[in-house]
Amino acid sequence: MQLRAEEISQIIKKQIQNFDKAALVTETGTVLSVGDGIARVYGLQGVMTSELVEFPGELFGMVLNLEQDNVGVAIFGEATHVKEGDTVKRTGRIADVPVGEALVGRVVNALGQPIDGKGPIDTPHRRRIEIKAPGIIQRQSVKEPLQTGLKAIDSLIPIGRGQRELIIGDRQTGKTAVAVDTIINQKGQDVYCFYVAIGQKQSTVAQVVDKLTHHGAMEYTTVVVASASELAPLQFIAPYSGCTMGEYFRDSGRHALCIYDDLSKQAVAYRQLSLLLRRPPGREAFPGDVFYLHSRLLERAAKISERWFVVKKGVTIPKGDVTFRGADGEMHVGPYAKQEAVEGGWKLADAEGFKAWEAAKGDDKKKLEKDLDKKLEGSDFVIERDPFSGGSLTALPVIETQAGDVSAYIPTNVISITDGQMFLEADLFYSGQRPALNVGISVSRVGGNAQIKAMKQIAGSLRIDLAQYREMAAFAQFASDLDAATRKQLDRGARLTEILKQGQYVPLAIEKQIAIIFAGTQGFLDPFPVSSLSRYEKEMYDYIDAQDKGIWEDIRTRKALDDDLRGRLKKLLTEFGKKFVPETKD
Amino acid sequence: MSIETVASRYAHALLEIGVETNSLQPITEQMAELAKAYQTSAELRAVISNPLVSLADREAVLTDICAKMGVLPVVKNTLRMLVQRKRMAILPAMSRSLRKLADEHAKVVRAEVSSAKALSDDYVRRLQSEIEKLTGRKVLLERKVDPALIAGVVTRVGDLVIDGSLRTRLVDLKAQLLSS
């Protein structure tokens, strides 16, 4: 933002005019003791919990403990110069961060201050970092898919917009890779992404930002960084800051995706804070409210219900105003909101016709509906949706396990909070199965509703085939002679496992995923050796591109695999199967 | 139990003794002086909290100090008890707590007024009556001169700071100009 010389003198003029205003009244306290980034302050009567207080030298802190005669403050910065007897001032401000479109494409710290050297963040909006999650009235069930672009995930453990799906695994199993691929795949999907890096190396974060920029994903992504070198209080609030920034989009009718990488480090930072504040330690020395720490964060992920109104033509709905009522004096919310609003419209357009419709049954009712629709069109009422409703915030928390131990405290907590989890395993990773997803124990508890129908149709047989394969594979290890049916099942399973492999940074469109999984489950891959399948996949896409490019569009728009599409896919795959030459043995 | 909680228990006991024997003010002042001595003298702390020095020797040191400062027997007894119970570390917190309790008991508030130059008595009297009106309590006003304020007056009543100094306004002006 560039200021002109006149503007500057205008500002100064205004300041000088207001200069002789009343004396500044502040509440203060004095530092009793300070150490390890925690200060105990005497005084500060009337201070609120999680309020920001100011130490000498423009140093801020957040009030965490309110005790009988002193206050525990976590200091957001270098605390070496704070000493006993220093004056602490109240600011009256609860910890907040800047939110809005200005943050898109930026890298900020946990307080929302830019750290990418691209100048100040120019936004008029600020929001508190701790906001209560939306209630049941404001929500609706998850129904839109959030495509990750990863075959293994979109087919077997689909994620919906507004869902919370945990990414869990040991170190170096590709957890961040799954998250980054998901962000890259949101290009052109109108999803704003927030990547919150907690307790990571600066170099790792720089790499992620670099990759996102390289793939054009920074255009819709904000990165919130509280690296390993930053203080525990900042690592503790970073996920809340990122969530708050995402909520701005959720509450204005848009879609946001928040990735918390990772929450085990946040829990460790919170444990440090809590122990220094002398809160009693519990299991693994975590404080008693470590469950609430994560549940209140993840509960803020939501799919917001749509608000429908009957309004007079020409009337614009005040965006996001929950006190607004339509021409029928109602706000229609819930799964049947649109239908209710239409009925409200019918009633206004033709009260008698509406009564007749209510009394009617069967075919008569359908006929009357058509008449009422026409009447509504002719009247000066319209049915409209509040553009600030129907948004979503999807959360992908990441948890790092130690040697695959998912029964440790933090992993079990977060598993129980989220709507499903994807397990990444080191063994699979090193055997070349990447993403190293264990599809046997990974689940998605709500995403199935959000899967597009075509994928649902073929994913069913994929899941069964893979389950049978796993069972057989364990059994077949001991058997030397296998009957043909078992042999066939093992072959099929090996091929299906092979096609779920996918490279990093190459998310795949849903229609292509459907094509390859269709080929696998329908046995089109059975004649070819497993080692040739990655080449098969690539060449198959090219072949379909050349022969029947329209099929991609058709799968996407029709959503379900009808007989026509099945027929076309089968034909294309049979023809390609004749042309494809698997590698010959040298 | 935290130091603050322990200190406030002892302070309450001392307050009641002070009220019963009608000697609250000297007790409070003497405790404050002793706390100051304890805080400022590293040697005193080293001797009094040192388990290698025998209890009798430590008490002798205390008796000498108390005799020199001319404190009341009840204050001396308090100190001896603190030494015996190894609670000397709470002395500063206890003194602070006692001061607060005594002020509440006497219904007075302490205020501090700082100014760049010495204030006239008339002004201070007016200020005092204003604060008394504001708080509804008797005010004990302490004056301070701080040339760094440039001009104006800073009044502190308990936790509340009413800042009318030129320095603060200049700092605010700087912050506002930089932010816009």
Side-chain angles (χ1 to χ4, degrees), chain B residues 57-84:
Chain B
D57 287 350
R58 280 188 270 166
E59 282 199 21
V61 172
L62 263 187
T63 318
D64 279 359
I65 291 172
C66 290
K68 213 164 196 183
M69 290 176 111
V71 299
L72 293 168
V74 61
V75 176
K76 192 180 149 191
N77 288 344
T78 313
L79 286 187
R80 284 180 58 203
M81 189 173 73
L82 287 180
V83 168
Q84 273 184 14

PDB file of all heavy atoms in Angstrom, chain B residues 57-84:
ATOM      1  N   ASP B  57      22.096 -20.348  65.878  1.00  0.00           N
ATOM      2  CA  ASP B  57      22.890 -19.256  65.297  1.00  0.00           C
ATOM      3  C   ASP B  57      22.034 -18.350  64.426  1.00  0.00           C
ATOM      4  O   ASP B  57      22.144 -17.131  64.461  1.00  0.00           O
ATOM      5  CB  ASP B  57      24.036 -19.826  64.452  1.00  0.00           C
ATOM      6  CG  ASP B  57      25.126 -20.406  65.331  1.00  0.00           C
ATOM      7  OD1 ASP B  57      25.045 -20.175  66.563  1.00  0.00           O
ATOM      8  OD2 ASP B  57      26.029 -21.083  64.799  1.00  0.00           O
ATOM      9  N   ARG B  58      21.172 -19.010  63.650  1.00  0.00           N
ATOM     10  CA  ARG B  58      20.320 -18.224  62.761  1.00  0.00           C
ATOM     11  C   ARG B  58      19.378 -17.346  63.570  1.00  0.00           C
ATOM     12  O   ARG B  58      19.173 -16.189  63.249  1.00  0.00           O
ATOM     13  CB  ARG B  58      19.522 -19.157  61.855  1.00  0.00           C
ATOM     14  CG  ARG B  58      20.356 -19.645  60.681  1.00  0.00           C
ATOM     15  CD  ARG B  58      19.521 -20.401  59.688  1.00  0.00           C
ATOM     16  NE  ARG B  58      19.485 -21.825  59.995  1.00  0.00           N
ATOM     17  CZ  ARG B  58      18.621 -22.674  59.453  1.00  0.00           C
ATOM     18  NH1 ARG B  58      17.726 -22.232  58.593  1.00  0.00           N
ATOM     19  NH2 ARG B  58      18.657 -23.950  59.750  1.00  0.00           N
ATOM     20  N   GLU B  59      18.842 -17.915  64.620  1.00  0.00           N
ATOM     21  CA  GLU B  59      17.936 -17.124  65.458  1.00  0.00           C
ATOM     22  C   GLU B  59      18.668 -15.977  66.125  1.00  0.00           C
ATOM     23  O   GLU B  59      18.128 -14.890  66.283  1.00  0.00           O
ATOM     24  CB  GLU B  59      17.255 -18.022  66.485  1.00  0.00           C
ATOM     25  CG  GLU B  59      16.128 -18.812  65.847  1.00  0.00           C
ATOM     26  CD  GLU B  59      15.160 -19.355  66.876  1.00  0.00           C
ATOM     27  OE1 GLU B  59      15.112 -18.829  67.995  1.00  0.00           O
ATOM     28  OE2 GLU B  59      14.450 -20.321  66.553  1.00  0.00           O
ATOM     29  N   ALA B  60      19.919 -16.209  66.473  1.00  0.00           N
ATOM     30  CA  ALA B  60      20.725 -15.142  67.072  1.00  0.00           C
ATOM     31  C   ALA B  60      20.891 -13.997  66.087  1.00  0.00           C
ATOM     32  O   ALA B  60      20.768 -12.817  66.460  1.00  0.00           O
ATOM     33  CB  ALA B  60      22.090 -15.702  67.486  1.00  0.00           C
ATOM     34  N   VAL B  61      21.173 -14.346  64.830  1.00  0.00           N
ATOM     35  CA  VAL B  61      21.305 -13.305  63.797  1.00  0.00           C
ATOM     36  C   VAL B  61      20.019 -12.502  63.709  1.00  0.00           C
ATOM     37  O   VAL B  61      20.024 -11.266  63.702  1.00  0.00           O
ATOM     38  CB  VAL B  61      21.639 -13.939  62.422  1.00  0.00           C
ATOM     39  CG1 VAL B  61      21.590 -12.884  61.325  1.00  0.00           C
ATOM     40  CG2 VAL B  61      22.992 -14.614  62.445  1.00  0.00           C
ATOM     41  N   LEU B  62      18.894 -13.240  63.697  1.00  0.00           N
ATOM     42  CA  LEU B  62      17.599 -12.580  63.601  1.00  0.00           C
ATOM     43  C   LEU B  62      17.354 -11.649  64.778  1.00  0.00           C
ATOM     44  O   LEU B  62      16.894 -10.529  64.611  1.00  0.00           O
ATOM     45  CB  LEU B  62      16.493 -13.635  63.570  1.00  0.00           C
ATOM     46  CG  LEU B  62      15.951 -14.051  62.212  1.00  0.00           C
ATOM     47  CD1 LEU B  62      14.758 -14.958  62.393  1.00  0.00           C
ATOM     48  CD2 LEU B  62      15.555 -12.839  61.386  1.00  0.00           C
ATOM     49  N   THR B  63      17.668 -12.156  65.968  1.00  0.00           N
ATOM     50  CA  THR B  63      17.452 -11.346  67.170  1.00  0.00           C
ATOM     51  C   THR B  63      18.245 -10.041  67.083  1.00  0.00           C
ATOM     52  O   THR B  63      17.730  -8.971  67.388  1.00  0.00           O
ATOM     53  CB  THR B  63      17.890 -12.131  68.426  1.00  0.00           C
ATOM     54  OG1 THR B  63      17.449 -13.468  68.284  1.00  0.00           O
ATOM     55  CG2 THR B  63      17.308 -11.525  69.686  1.00  0.00           C
ATOM     56  N   ASP B  64      19.505 -10.164  66.603  1.00  0.00           N
ATOM     57  CA  ASP B  64      20.330  -8.961  66.451  1.00  0.00           C
ATOM     58  C   ASP B  64      19.699  -7.970  65.495  1.00  0.00           C
ATOM     59  O   ASP B  64      19.605  -6.771  65.784  1.00  0.00           O
ATOM     60  CB  ASP B  64      21.721  -9.342  65.922  1.00  0.00           C
ATOM     61  CG  ASP B  64      22.598  -9.848  67.056  1.00  0.00           C
ATOM     62  OD1 ASP B  64      22.085  -9.854  68.211  1.00  0.00           O
ATOM     63  OD2 ASP B  64      23.748 -10.237  66.798  1.00  0.00           O
ATOM     64  N   ILE B  65      19.263  -8.507  64.345  1.00  0.00           N
ATOM     65  CA  ILE B  65      18.662  -7.622  63.337  1.00  0.00           C
ATOM     66  C   ILE B  65      17.420  -6.961  63.894  1.00  0.00           C
ATOM     67  O   ILE B  65      17.229  -5.752  63.765  1.00  0.00           O
ATOM     68  CB  ILE B  65      18.324  -8.419  62.065  1.00  0.00           C
ATOM     69  CG1 ILE B  65      19.610  -8.862  61.363  1.00  0.00           C
ATOM     70  CG2 ILE B  65      17.480  -7.575  61.100  1.00  0.00           C
ATOM     71  CD1 ILE B  65      19.387  -9.806  60.224  1.00  0.00           C
ATOM     72  N   CYS B  66      16.597  -7.771  64.568  1.00  0.00           N
ATOM     73  CA  CYS B  66      15.346  -7.235  65.108  1.00  0.00           C
ATOM     74  C   CYS B  66      15.628  -6.164  66.164  1.00  0.00           C
ATOM     75  O   CYS B  66      14.959  -5.127  66.212  1.00  0.00           O
ATOM     76  CB  CYS B  66      14.498  -8.346  65.720  1.00  0.00           C
ATOM     77  SG  CYS B  66      13.844  -9.440  64.457  1.00  0.00           S
ATOM     78  N   ALA B  67      16.644  -6.406  66.982  1.00  0.00           N
ATOM     79  CA  ALA B  67      16.990  -5.431  68.009  1.00  0.00           C
ATOM     80  C   ALA B  67      17.439  -4.135  67.357  1.00  0.00           C
ATOM     81  O   ALA B  67      17.065  -3.039  67.777  1.00  0.00           O
ATOM     82  CB  ALA B  67      18.102  -6.002  68.895  1.00  0.00           C
ATOM     83  N   LYS B  68      18.235  -4.244  66.302  1.00  0.00           N
ATOM     84  CA  LYS B  68      18.756  -3.069  65.613  1.00  0.00           C
ATOM     85  C   LYS B  68      17.629  -2.272  64.972  1.00  0.00           C
ATOM     86  O   LYS B  68      17.619  -1.050  64.972  1.00  0.00           O
ATOM     87  CB  LYS B  68      19.749  -3.500  64.537  1.00  0.00           C
ATOM     88  CG  LYS B  68      20.859  -2.483  64.361  1.00  0.00           C
ATOM     89  CD  LYS B  68      22.010  -3.081  63.592  1.00  0.00           C
ATOM     90  CE  LYS B  68      23.234  -2.199  63.762  1.00  0.00           C
ATOM     91  NZ  LYS B  68      24.346  -2.708  62.984  1.00  0.00           N
ATOM     92  N   MET B  69      16.658  -3.004  64.392  1.00  0.00           N
ATOM     93  CA  MET B  69      15.557  -2.317  63.727  1.00  0.00           C
ATOM     94  C   MET B  69      14.471  -1.926  64.725  1.00  0.00           C
ATOM     95  O   MET B  69      13.551  -1.185  64.373  1.00  0.00           O
ATOM     96  CB  MET B  69      14.950  -3.212  62.643  1.00  0.00           C
ATOM     97  CG  MET B  69      15.886  -3.398  61.462  1.00  0.00           C
ATOM     98  SD  MET B  69      15.202  -4.541  60.282  1.00  0.00           S
ATOM     99  CE  MET B  69      14.870  -3.437  58.953  1.00  0.00           C
ATOM    100  N   GLY B  70      14.561  -2.414  65.929  1.00  0.00           N
ATOM    101  CA  GLY B  70      13.595  -2.069  66.970  1.00  0.00           C
ATOM    102  C   GLY B  70      12.189  -2.532  66.661  1.00  0.00           C
ATOM    103  O   GLY B  70      11.239  -1.764  66.774  1.00  0.00           O
ATOM    104  N   VAL B  71      12.046  -3.796  66.245  1.00  0.00           N
ATOM    105  CA  VAL B  71      10.714  -4.263  65.866  1.00  0.00           C
ATOM    106  C   VAL B  71       9.950  -4.780  67.072  1.00  0.00           C
ATOM    107  O   VAL B  71      10.527  -5.069  68.113  1.00  0.00           O
ATOM    108  CB  VAL B  71      10.796  -5.381  64.798  1.00  0.00           C
ATOM    109  CG1 VAL B  71      11.459  -4.859  63.540  1.00  0.00           C
ATOM    110  CG2 VAL B  71      11.496  -6.601  65.337  1.00  0.00           C
ATOM    111  N   LEU B  72       8.641  -4.888  66.894  1.00  0.00           N
ATOM    112  CA  LEU B  72       7.768  -5.372  67.956  1.00  0.00           C
ATOM    113  C   LEU B  72       8.024  -6.855  68.210  1.00  0.00           C
ATOM    114  O   LEU B  72       8.455  -7.580  67.314  1.00  0.00           O
ATOM    115  CB  LEU B  72       6.306  -5.199  67.524  1.00  0.00           C
ATOM    116  CG  LEU B  72       5.812  -3.765  67.374  1.00  0.00           C
ATOM    117  CD1 LEU B  72       4.463  -3.771  66.673  1.00  0.00           C
ATOM    118  CD2 LEU B  72       5.708  -3.117  68.737  1.00  0.00           C
ATOM    119  N   PRO B  73       7.749  -7.312  69.418  1.00  0.00           N
ATOM    120  CA  PRO B  73       7.962  -8.739  69.718  1.00  0.00           C
ATOM    121  C   PRO B  73       7.172  -9.657  68.795  1.00  0.00           C
ATOM    122  O   PRO B  73       7.650 -10.725  68.396  1.00  0.00           O
ATOM    123  CB  PRO B  73       7.473  -8.885  71.156  1.00  0.00           C
ATOM    124  CG  PRO B  73       7.330  -7.527  71.692  1.00  0.00           C
ATOM    125  CD  PRO B  73       7.297  -6.548  70.593  1.00  0.00           C
ATOM    126  N   VAL B  74       5.958  -9.240  68.411  1.00  0.00           N
ATOM    127  CA  VAL B  74       5.135 -10.119  67.585  1.00  0.00           C
ATOM    128  C   VAL B  74       5.776 -10.323  66.196  1.00  0.00           C
ATOM    129  O   VAL B  74       5.754 -11.409  65.624  1.00  0.00           O
ATOM    130  CB  VAL B  74       3.687  -9.592  67.488  1.00  0.00           C
ATOM    131  CG1 VAL B  74       3.619  -8.231  66.854  1.00  0.00           C
ATOM    132  CG2 VAL B  74       2.823 -10.559  66.702  1.00  0.00           C
ATOM    133  N   VAL B  75       6.403  -9.291  65.677  1.00  0.00           N
ATOM    134  CA  VAL B  75       7.085  -9.394  64.379  1.00  0.00           C
ATOM    135  C   VAL B  75       8.282 -10.328  64.512  1.00  0.00           C
ATOM    136  O   VAL B  75       8.536 -11.184  63.654  1.00  0.00           O
ATOM    137  CB  VAL B  75       7.520  -7.993  63.899  1.00  0.00           C
ATOM    138  CG1 VAL B  75       8.318  -8.107  62.613  1.00  0.00           C
ATOM    139  CG2 VAL B  75       6.307  -7.115  63.691  1.00  0.00           C
ATOM    140  N   LYS B  76       9.009 -10.147  65.617  1.00  0.00           N
ATOM    141  CA  LYS B  76      10.170 -10.997  65.847  1.00  0.00           C
ATOM    142  C   LYS B  76       9.742 -12.466  65.940  1.00  0.00           C
ATOM    143  O   LYS B  76      10.363 -13.354  65.335  1.00  0.00           O
ATOM    144  CB  LYS B  76      10.846 -10.565  67.158  1.00  0.00           C
ATOM    145  CG  LYS B  76      12.213 -11.186  67.355  1.00  0.00           C
ATOM    146  CD  LYS B  76      12.808 -10.708  68.669  1.00  0.00           C
ATOM    147  CE  LYS B  76      13.700 -11.779  69.246  1.00  0.00           C
ATOM    148  NZ  LYS B  76      14.084 -11.467  70.620  1.00  0.00           N
ATOM    149  N   ASN B  77       8.652 -12.707  66.660  1.00  0.00           N
ATOM    150  CA  ASN B  77       8.160 -14.076  66.789  1.00  0.00           C
ATOM    151  C   ASN B  77       7.765 -14.663  65.434  1.00  0.00           C
ATOM    152  O   ASN B  77       8.017 -15.834  65.159  1.00  0.00           O
ATOM    153  CB  ASN B  77       6.947 -14.120  67.715  1.00  0.00           C
ATOM    154  CG  ASN B  77       7.361 -13.906  69.155  1.00  0.00           C
ATOM    155  OD1 ASN B  77       8.549 -14.028  69.476  1.00  0.00           O
ATOM    156  ND2 ASN B  77       6.412 -13.557  70.001  1.00  0.00           N
ATOM    157  N   THR B  78       7.134 -13.812  64.619  1.00  0.00           N
ATOM    158  CA  THR B  78       6.746 -14.282  63.281  1.00  0.00           C
ATOM    159  C   THR B  78       7.981 -14.752  62.525  1.00  0.00           C
ATOM    160  O   THR B  78       7.999 -15.823  61.914  1.00  0.00           O
ATOM    161  CB  THR B  78       6.080 -13.135  62.491  1.00  0.00           C
ATOM    162  OG1 THR B  78       5.131 -12.513  63.331  1.00  0.00           O
ATOM    163  CG2 THR B  78       5.431 -13.655  61.223  1.00  0.00           C
ATOM    164  N   LEU B  79       9.041 -13.917  62.551  1.00  0.00           N
ATOM    165  CA  LEU B  79      10.259 -14.267  61.826  1.00  0.00           C
ATOM    166  C   LEU B  79      10.865 -15.563  62.356  1.00  0.00           C
ATOM    167  O   LEU B  79      11.281 -16.423  61.581  1.00  0.00           O
ATOM    168  CB  LEU B  79      11.281 -13.137  61.938  1.00  0.00           C
ATOM    169  CG  LEU B  79      10.973 -11.895  61.102  1.00  0.00           C
ATOM    170  CD1 LEU B  79      12.147 -10.936  61.164  1.00  0.00           C
ATOM    171  CD2 LEU B  79      10.678 -12.252  59.663  1.00  0.00           C
ATOM    172  N   ARG B  80      10.888 -15.687  63.673  1.00  0.00           N
ATOM    173  CA  ARG B  80      11.473 -16.910  64.250  1.00  0.00           C
ATOM    174  C   ARG B  80      10.687 -18.145  63.805  1.00  0.00           C
ATOM    175  O   ARG B  80      11.265 -19.185  63.480  1.00  0.00           O
ATOM    176  CB  ARG B  80      11.492 -16.814  65.775  1.00  0.00           C
ATOM    177  CG  ARG B  80      12.601 -15.899  66.278  1.00  0.00           C
ATOM    178  CD  ARG B  80      12.605 -15.827  67.777  1.00  0.00           C
ATOM    179  NE  ARG B  80      12.758 -17.126  68.406  1.00  0.00           N
ATOM    180  CZ  ARG B  80      12.368 -17.406  69.661  1.00  0.00           C
ATOM    181  NH1 ARG B  80      11.795 -16.458  70.387  1.00  0.00           N
ATOM    182  NH2 ARG B  80      12.552 -18.591  70.168  1.00  0.00           N
ATOM    183  N   MET B  81       9.382 -17.970  63.765  1.00  0.00           N
ATOM    184  CA  MET B  81       8.564 -19.100  63.349  1.00  0.00           C
ATOM    185  C   MET B  81       8.838 -19.444  61.882  1.00  0.00           C
ATOM    186  O   MET B  81       8.948 -20.611  61.504  1.00  0.00           O
ATOM    187  CB  MET B  81       7.086 -18.770  63.533  1.00  0.00           C
ATOM    188  CG  MET B  81       6.187 -19.962  63.321  1.00  0.00           C
ATOM    189  SD  MET B  81       4.507 -19.589  63.745  1.00  0.00           S
ATOM    190  CE  MET B  81       4.042 -18.579  62.400  1.00  0.00           C
ATOM    191  N   LEU B  82       8.962 -18.403  61.040  1.00  0.00           N
ATOM    192  CA  LEU B  82       9.237 -18.641  59.623  1.00  0.00           C
ATOM    193  C   LEU B  82      10.560 -19.381  59.449  1.00  0.00           C
ATOM    194  O   LEU B  82      10.678 -20.297  58.633  1.00  0.00           O
ATOM    195  CB  LEU B  82       9.288 -17.311  58.849  1.00  0.00           C
ATOM    196  CG  LEU B  82       7.956 -16.611  58.605  1.00  0.00           C
ATOM    197  CD1 LEU B  82       8.180 -15.316  57.832  1.00  0.00           C
ATOM    198  CD2 LEU B  82       6.990 -17.493  57.840  1.00  0.00           C
ATOM    199  N   VAL B  83      11.560 -18.987  60.247  1.00  0.00           N
ATOM    200  CA  VAL B  83      12.860 -19.647  60.141  1.00  0.00           C
ATOM    201  C   VAL B  83      12.736 -21.103  60.563  1.00  0.00           C
ATOM    202  O   VAL B  83      13.223 -22.009  59.885  1.00  0.00           O
ATOM    203  CB  VAL B  83      13.905 -18.907  60.995  1.00  0.00           C
ATOM    204  CG1 VAL B  83      15.169 -19.740  61.134  1.00  0.00           C
ATOM    205  CG2 VAL B  83      14.231 -17.558  60.381  1.00  0.00           C
ATOM    206  N   GLN B  84      12.046 -21.326  61.667  1.00  0.00           N
ATOM    207  CA  GLN B  84      11.902 -22.699  62.160  1.00  0.00           C
ATOM    208  C   GLN B  84      11.172 -23.586  61.169  1.00  0.00           C
ATOM    209  O   GLN B  84      11.509 -24.741  60.977  1.00  0.00           O
ATOM    210  CB  GLN B  84      11.135 -22.688  63.481  1.00  0.00           C
ATOM    211  CG  GLN B  84      12.066 -22.494  64.655  1.00  0.00           C
ATOM    212  CD  GLN B  84      11.318 -22.569  65.969  1.00  0.00           C
ATOM    213  OE1 GLN B  84      10.182 -23.016  66.028  1.00  0.00           O
ATOM    214  NE2 GLN B  84      11.967 -22.115  67.035  1.00  0.00           N
TER     215      GLN B  84
END
